[in-house]
Amino acid sequence: MKNVGIPRRLDELGRIVIPIDVRRALSLNERDTVMFFLDEKSRTVILKKEFPSCICCHAADSLRQLPHGIYVCESCLAQLS
């Protein structure tokens, strides 16, 4: 695991700013979804960029975006119709 060595403080609402170097390395843009993974034993949090996938079968190709940021692949959309 790479140590970027950029300390940040939590604000009063528990938020933290992700440094620009980290956002660039992960190709994070405004409004992207990220997942947090917690390893309680090592007290480590892992941040991962979430890529869109079908809400039904989790496929990542041939996606159509529905309202509220929901994605459905063409195959599942055809079955729902």
Side-chain angles (χ1 to χ4, degrees), residues 17-52:
V17 174
I18 302 170
I20 189 70
D21 293 342
V22 175
R23 294 193 317 258
R24 286 180 181 152
L26 295 176
S27 300
L28 290 174
N29 299 303
E30 290 180 13
R31 306 283 181 207
D32 280 349
T33 302
V34 294
M35 294 290 295
F36 291 88
F37 298 91
L38 174 63
D39 181 345
E40 292 183 48
K41 185 175 182 181
S42 66
R43 297 173 49 142
T44 303
V45 175
I46 297 173
L47 180 73
K48 181 180 175 190
K49 181 176 180 176
E50 183 72 8
F51 293 96

Side-chain angles (χ1 to χ4, degrees), residues 51-55 57-64 71-74:
F51 293 96
S53 63
C54 176
I55 194 168
C57 71
H58 306 291
D61 54 332
S62 303
L63 296 176
R64 300 259 315 261
Y71 291 89
V72 178
C73 71
E74 296 291 337

